[in-house]
Amino acid sequence: MVKSVTYTALPGLPLVEPGDDLGNIIAEGVRRAEIVVADGDIFVIAQKIVSKAENRYVDLNEIVPSAQALELAKTVGKDPRHIEVVLSESTEVVRFRQNVMIVAHRLGFVMANAGIDESNIAHDDGKARVLLLPKDPDASGEMLRQQLQRTFGVKIGVIINDSFGRPWRNGVVGVAIGSAGIPSLQSMIGAPDLFNRAMRVTEIAIADELAAAASLVMGQAAEGLPVVHIRGFHSEAAHSPASVLARPKAQDMFR
Amino acid sequence: MVKSVTYTALPGLPLVEPGDDLGNIIAEGVRRAEIVVADGDIFVIAQKIVSKAENRYVDLNEIVPSAQALELAKTVGKDPRHIEVVLSESTEVVRFRQNVMIVAHRLGFVMANAGIDESNIAHDDGKARVLLLPKDPDASGEMLRQQLQRTFGVKIGVIINDSFGRPWRNGVVGVAIGSAGIPSLQSMIGAPDLFNRAMRVTEIAIADELAAAASLVMGQAAEGLPVVHIRGFHSEAAHSPASVLARPKAQDMFR
């Protein structure tokens, strides 16, 4: 049997606004793409539209920067109110320099600017808004999974992805910040290799690999294809949320 | 138009031995899978089989460990000859502790053990062999690309992938260590976002996202599916080799 996995971007999705029924928007996109959803299919959803539907906007005009934010702003060179919002979402500033602030997000992910981005956010109403990550992306994924399962009558998986920079390598890649109904991290401990010896590699970041592939299909810029349908990926591994991908600080050699 | 990308593992490839004609092995696998190769298709090839075809084996019995290797072995706990081979492939030891040695490979990639793995390597002839990365993975990719282009009469891309651990996140993911005929890194500088403002994200590690997706289809363990065919990925960006993904030390905040 030939093993194939196909990633398809749902075309024609509308811009998402606070309070929108994202599950319904996705379901309509699926029908528009004439996809018949099957058991084991996975939907990858861009963080940005989940955050928008959940109204995770913060108006910078309502933010008073702390002394720490004002101090960091001198080096980083961003609006101190923006930095204040980043700090309020973070547990630790890991590195900072001009234009760069790497923090540990309260969700455990180490990332630039706590994932708070100003691109792809409309400024035409005169507000200075920034958009936070979903409050609990695994929970958001689980809610969307349940809604889509009710709609289509099959078992599916959901991933919420974002683009992260990395140490040591240029360029950003898609990663999973939330998931439901999939093995985000698969343990290979004890699995035999081709010559029946135990594998050295102990865990595979399945959700990050799916998220990266979906990110490519979404595109980054003006295309606006924030939902990707995956067909053909199967794993017998136990389901685990994306939060297990965050390495605890005590086990991390690089902060 | 619906945008889809499909990853298909070539079934039934033989184990690769030094001196094998890897391009021919892949071409036969393509015919076996009944794939009609088209312009723009990409093949992702596992590092291990490229290294094997290029006979990048080193016999540990011929290695005399240096003082540095003997010293590191006390902490790392590996065979000092193995550590000596890792050092000979590296320009810098970035971190080490028990069972872990993160180095800057001479190719510029920061990775565990300089990519020198003992899993999936036969020991049945009594030798203690380890397998190095290809000498020049971008060049290996380019040679395979040219051979496959001659065979199939179309323009294709090639990626050589490996699995890397990451700081801050659990689990390994597929990354590109060599490539040809694709934009490994796509610049988005100046590209407009949905609201016609310039993008913040400046570069996308296209080759790493393709490599990660292919890695999932290959599997890690006993399945042995080391070549993946990609259909449907298109980019107008300029081609660049995987070496551009290695961030120079002077630009890196994490070593």
Side-chain angles (χ1 to χ4, degrees), chain A residues 4 8-9 16 24 41 67-68 91 112 114 118 158 175 201 211 230 248 253:
Chain A
S4 269
T8 304
V16 174
N24 191 47
D41 287 0
Q68 190 192 1
T91 58
E118 292 173 289
V158 167
V175 298
V201 165
I230 306 177
M253 292 188 289

Side-chain angles (χ1 to χ4, degrees), chain A residues 20-231:
Chain A
D20 280 354
D21 181 341
L22 188 52
N24 191 47
I25 286 173
I26 294 168
E28 284 176 6
V30 166
R31 293 187 197 103
R32 210 177 300 116
E34 300 182 1
I35 290 169
V36 179
V37 182
D39 262 341
D41 287 0
I42 299 167
F43 289 95
V44 185
I45 306 164
Q47 165 266 321
K48 217 160 268 182
I49 65 169
V50 178
S51 290
K52 286 178 180 175
E54 295 180 359
N55 196 14
R56 297 286 291 157
Y57 286 108
V58 171
D59 184 347
L60 291 185
N61 294 322
E62 294 173 7
I63 300 296
V64 179
S66 62
Q68 190 192 1
L70 289 164
E71 189 58 35
L72 281 166
K74 290 179 195 166
T75 301
V76 177
K78 277 183 199 288
D79 185 329
R81 300 170 303 170
H82 189 167
I83 291 179
E84 180 60 33
V85 179
V86 171
L87 291 175
S88 72
E89 283 282 278
S90 305
T91 58
E92 180 192 0
V93 178
V94 175
R95 291 281 194 287
F96 65 97
R97 65 179 189 192
Q98 199 181 358
N99 287 322
V100 178
M101 194 159 69
I102 314 283
V103 300
H105 190 279
R106 60 178 171 75
L107 293 167
F109 301 119
V110 177
M111 61 195 307
N113 306 319
I116 298 167
D117 195 4
E118 292 173 289
S119 72
N120 285 329
I121 297 172
H123 282 244
D124 51 7
D125 54 1
K127 279 186 193 161
R129 297 194 298 182
V130 294
L131 189 61
L132 312 187
L133 298 194
K135 190 160 275 183
D136 181 347
D138 284 328
S140 303
E142 177 61 21
M143 283 200 328
L144 286 162
R145 182 174 82 101
Q146 289 185 14
Q147 182 179 357
L148 291 167
Q149 288 190 160
R150 282 194 303 274
T151 303
F152 295 114
V154 293
K155 295 277 185 202
I156 61 155
V158 167
I159 293 171
I160 296 168
N161 76 345
D162 197 358
S163 289
F164 280 21
R166 298 104 26 107
W168 313 331
R169 295 180 77 80
N170 291 318
V172 298
V173 294
V175 298
I177 64 160
S179 80
I182 62 155
S184 290
L185 193 64
Q186 179 174 3
S187 173
M188 303 297 285
I189 296 169
D193 75 1
L194 272 174
F195 299 95
N196 269 321
R197 287 189 310 269
M199 294 279 291
R200 286 284 183 90
V201 165
T202 55
E203 292 178 315
I204 302 166
I206 300 273
D208 281 340
E209 296 190 316
L210 291 163
S215 196
L216 260 190
V217 184
M218 289 176 177
Q220 287 283 342
E223 296 159 274
L225 295 168
V227 181
V228 169
H229 168 263
I230 306 177
R231 166 73 44 86

Side-chain angles (χ1 to χ4, degrees), chain B residues 19-243:
Chain B
D20 280 354
D21 181 341
L22 188 53
N24 191 46
I25 287 173
I26 294 169
E28 284 176 7
V30 166
R31 292 187 198 103
R32 209 177 300 116
E34 300 183 1
I35 291 168
V36 179
V37 182
D39 262 342
D41 287 0
I42 299 168
F43 289 95
V44 185
I45 306 165
Q47 165 266 320
K48 216 160 269 183
I49 65 169
V50 178
S51 289
K52 286 178 181 176
E54 295 180 0
N55 195 14
R56 298 285 291 155
Y57 286 108
V58 171
D59 184 347
L60 291 185
N61 294 321
E62 293 172 9
I63 300 296
V64 179
S66 62
Q68 190 191 1
L70 289 165
E71 189 58 34
L72 281 166
K74 291 180 195 166
T75 302
V76 177
K78 276 184 200 287
D79 185 330
R81 301 170 303 170
H82 189 166
I83 291 179
E84 180 60 33
V85 180
V86 171
L87 291 175
S88 72
E89 283 282 278
S90 305
T91 58
E92 181 193 359
V93 178
V94 176
R95 290 281 194 288
F96 67 97
R97 66 178 187 190
Q98 199 182 355
N99 287 322
V100 179
M101 194 157 70
I102 313 284
V103 301
H105 191 278
R106 60 179 171 74
L107 293 167
F109 300 120
V110 178
M111 62 196 306
N113 307 319
I116 298 168
D117 195 4
E118 292 173 289
S119 72
N120 285 329
I121 295 172
H123 281 244
D124 50 8
D125 54 1
K127 281 184 194 163
R129 297 194 299 182
V130 294
L131 188 61
L132 312 187
L133 297 194
K135 190 159 273 183
D136 182 347
D138 284 330
S140 303
E142 177 60 21
M143 283 200 330
L144 286 163
R145 183 175 81 101
Q146 289 183 15
Q147 182 180 355
L148 291 168
Q149 287 191 160
R150 283 194 303 273
T151 303
F152 295 113
V154 293
K155 295 276 185 203
I156 59 155
V158 167
I159 294 171
I160 297 169
N161 76 344
D162 197 358
S163 288
F164 280 21
R166 297 103 28 104
W168 312 332
R169 294 180 79 78
N170 290 318
V172 298
V173 294
V175 299
I177 64 160
S179 79
I182 62 155
S184 290
L185 193 63
Q186 179 174 3
S187 172
M188 302 297 286
I189 296 168
D193 75 1
L194 273 173
F195 299 95
N196 270 320
R197 287 188 309 269
M199 294 278 291
R200 285 284 182 91
V201 166
T202 54
E203 292 177 316
I204 302 167
I206 299 274
D208 281 340
E209 295 190 316
L210 292 164
S215 197
L216 259 191
V217 184
M218 290 177 178
Q220 287 282 342
E223 296 159 274
L225 296 168
V227 181
V228 168
H229 167 265
I230 306 178
R231 166 73 44 86
F233 175 73
H234 301 293
S235 168
E236 298 299 316
H239 294 177
S240 48
S243 55

